[in-house]
Amino acid sequence: LCNDDGCFDWDDGYRDLSGGWLHSCGIMADGLMYCWGNNRHGEMGNQYAAEELLDEIECTGEDAKDNCIAKFKGSWALTETGGVSAGKRQTCGIRCVPGDPDGEATRII
């Protein structure tokens, strides 16, 4: 996966990627999750996911909901089938909560 800053290799890059209809998400090796693309229907965040975001969702497209990027705090879990699922109008993931003996799952968006 490459961008203007260069390319990521598996050891320090993405551990899981998921493509939705107009957005994608990935979990990095350090456990942070990023989403990018269209946020027209709250795919990368809405009022319920605001506390999970590290920063505001930044959109640079002509439309205020296009060409967006979101960075989510915490460590996001990987399972046998992946860790994040980007759908048509939603994204789901499991966030690891330190000190949580029950391993509660968090639906983020």
Side-chain angles (χ1 to χ4, degrees), residues 42-104:
E43 294 90 330
M44 287 182 260
N46 54 30
Q47 69 272 22
Y48 303 109
E51 65 188 41
E52 305 295 339
L53 291 167
L54 272 175
D55 297 309
E56 297 273 327
I57 297 173
E58 182 179 325
C59 300
T60 59
E62 290 181 25
D63 184 312
K65 300 287 185 178
D66 290 331
N67 199 23
C68 303
I69 187 165
K71 183 177 178 183
F72 294 88
K73 60 187 172 186
S75 292
W76 294 85
L78 294 173
T79 66
E80 290 179 3
T81 58
V84 60
S85 177
K88 182 172 181 179
R89 292 190 176 178
Q90 73 281 336
T91 301
C92 294
I94 300 171
R95 184 168 61 91
C96 302
V97 180
D100 182 1
D102 297 324
E104 294 286 327

Side-chain angles (χ1 to χ4, degrees), residues 24-40:
S24 299
C25 295
I27 298 175
M28 300 291 292
D30 63 5
L32 291 177
M33 183 168 66
Y34 291 85
C35 294
W36 57 93
N38 184 294
N39 195 38
R40 187 166 309 284

